[in-house]
């Protein structure tokens, strides 16, 4: 019985050490006499956007919430119908905002110049309905905006230019980043009289930098907008930063 107890105690004592050993082994380990080098490098690639995302909608105001929402629904139905007629697919039209909010009157100014102290008074209601739209034919983007304006839209914001499938462009940036990382590793190794033995770890941070979205129109007199709104898509820049650890040795 005594031997059984001692054996169990020994196993219990070794368990934390075993777990600790597993944790320590997850870090990069270099051979005796070798050196650990960590470098960061950035790779880039550019593409012409093939997708424009923008928001379009209608804001209406009336004395009652029901009246504001009814008018809004009628005008928004015309806006959505115009999007479909312009060739925008159903899957590329998605409601992004539907709200009804009170409109408060301004306090009155008293003869002495001060403002009348009173609880806010609701003088009407404002209804807003917006959809997020993905425009895939960029050469038609300006015409689509003009069509929306002509059919009652009084809020159009965007665009945010994107790439529908960025995998190939991101891979190009990754390859460039890894080449730069290896060149720097070789440079450091040569400077200290060593060579790169192997890669130990690789991690990345990736993303793209699209042109900043701009407000196209946001006013009540949108019927006076130009008949062909100019749009410049420019280029998107895909960026990948890699962090690579190398083992250096003789």
């Amino acid at each position: 019985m005594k031997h059984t107890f001692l054996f169990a105690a020994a196993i219990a004592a070794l368990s934390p050490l075993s777990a600790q050993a597993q944790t320590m082994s997850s870090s990069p380990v270099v051979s005796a006499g070798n050196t650990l080098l960590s470098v960061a490098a950035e790779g880039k690639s550019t593409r012409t956007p093939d997708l424009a995302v923008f928001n379009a909608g209608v804001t209406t105001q009336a004395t009652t919430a029901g009246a504001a929402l009814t008018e809004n629904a009628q005008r928004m139905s015309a806006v959505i119908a115009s999007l479909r007629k312009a060739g925008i697919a159903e899957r590329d039209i998605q409601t992004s905002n539907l709200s009804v909010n009170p409109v408060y009157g301004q306090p009155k100014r008293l003869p002495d110049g001060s403002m009348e102290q009173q609880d806010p008074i609701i003088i009407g209601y404002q209804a807003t309905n917006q959809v997020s739209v993905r425009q895939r034919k960029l050469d038609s983007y300006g015409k689509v905006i003009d069509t929306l304006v002509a059919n009652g839209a009084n809020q159009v914001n965007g665009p945010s230019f994107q790439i529908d499938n960025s995998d190939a462009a991101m891979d190009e940036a990754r390859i460039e980043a890894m080449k730069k990382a290896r060149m720097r590793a070789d440079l450091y190794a040569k400077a200290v009289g060593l060579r790169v033995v192997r890669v130990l770890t690789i991690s990345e941070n990736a993303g793209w930098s699209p042109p900043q979205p701009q407000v196209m129109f946001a006013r009540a007199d949108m019927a006076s907008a130009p008949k062909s709104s100019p749009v410049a898509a420019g280029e998107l820049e895909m960026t990948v930063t890699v962090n690579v650890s190398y083992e250096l040795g003789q």
Side-chain angles (χ1 to χ4, degrees):
M1 179 67 69
K2 182 177 181 181
H3 291 293
T4 303
F5 175 80
L6 292 175
F7 179 77
I11 293 298
L14 288 173
S15 296
L17 295 177
S18 177
Q20 182 180 7
Q22 292 177 359
T23 302
M24 293 176 62
S25 65
S26 63
S27 301
V29 178
V30 299
S31 302
N34 287 353
T35 300
L36 175 66
L37 171 68
S38 297
V39 298
E42 184 180 80
K44 297 180 180 180
S45 65
T46 58
R47 288 290 189 280
T48 300
D50 57 9
L51 188 67
V53 179
F54 65 95
N55 290 321
V58 175
T59 294
T60 54
Q61 186 169 324
T63 55
T64 66
L69 194 58
T70 298
E71 181 186 355
N72 189 282
Q74 294 174 349
R75 293 177 60 179
M76 194 62 190
S77 294
V79 168
I80 294 177
S82 68
L83 284 170
R84 293 168 179 162
K85 188 176 181 179
I88 306 297
E90 291 282 351
R91 64 190 178 98
D92 291 330
I93 305 173
Q94 185 178 55
T95 299
S96 59
N97 178 31
L98 177 58
S99 61
V100 180
N101 296 295
V103 178
Y104 295 97
Q106 297 296 321
K108 297 180 180 179
R109 186 176 294 278
L110 300 176
D112 61 0
S114 63
M115 304 303 293
E116 182 181 17
Q117 299 297 320
Q118 62 179 16
D119 293 334
I121 298 176
I122 297 176
I123 60 174
Y125 291 86
Q126 187 177 80
T128 299
N129 192 337
Q130 292 180 320
V131 290
S132 175
V133 183
R134 290 184 292 182
Q135 172 70 44
R136 299 181 184 275
K137 296 180 179 179
L138 297 190
D139 56 348
S140 301
Y141 179 77
K143 293 181 180 179
V144 171
I145 298 301
D146 299 335
T147 299
L148 289 173
V149 172
N151 284 273
N154 57 13
Q155 288 188 343
V156 181
N157 300 286
S160 172
F161 291 108
Q162 301 177 11
I163 297 177
D164 194 23
N165 188 345
S166 62
D167 290 348
M170 294 299 292
D171 287 345
E172 285 183 13
R174 291 183 177 102
I175 292 172
E176 180 184 351
M178 287 301 297
K179 287 181 178 179
K180 286 183 178 180
R182 181 55 191 256
M183 290 175 61
R184 290 176 185 173
D186 288 335
L187 178 67
Y188 282 117
K190 184 178 180 180
V192 295
L194 299 174
R195 65 180 179 84
V196 175
V197 176
R198 59 178 177 140
V199 175
L200 296 174
T201 63
I202 303 173
S203 64
E204 76 164 40
N205 296 313
W208 63 32
S209 301
Q212 292 298 315
Q214 300 178 355
V215 177
M216 296 290 295
F217 305 102
R219 60 182 188 268
D221 60 338
M222 296 183 75
S224 62
K227 290 302 179 182
S228 182
S229 302
V231 177
E235 285 187 337
L236 295 178
E237 185 177 84
M238 266 58 64
T239 305
V240 173
T241 300
V242 295
N243 298 282
V244 189
S245 296
Y246 297 92
E247 181 179 354
L248 305 185
Q250 295 292 335

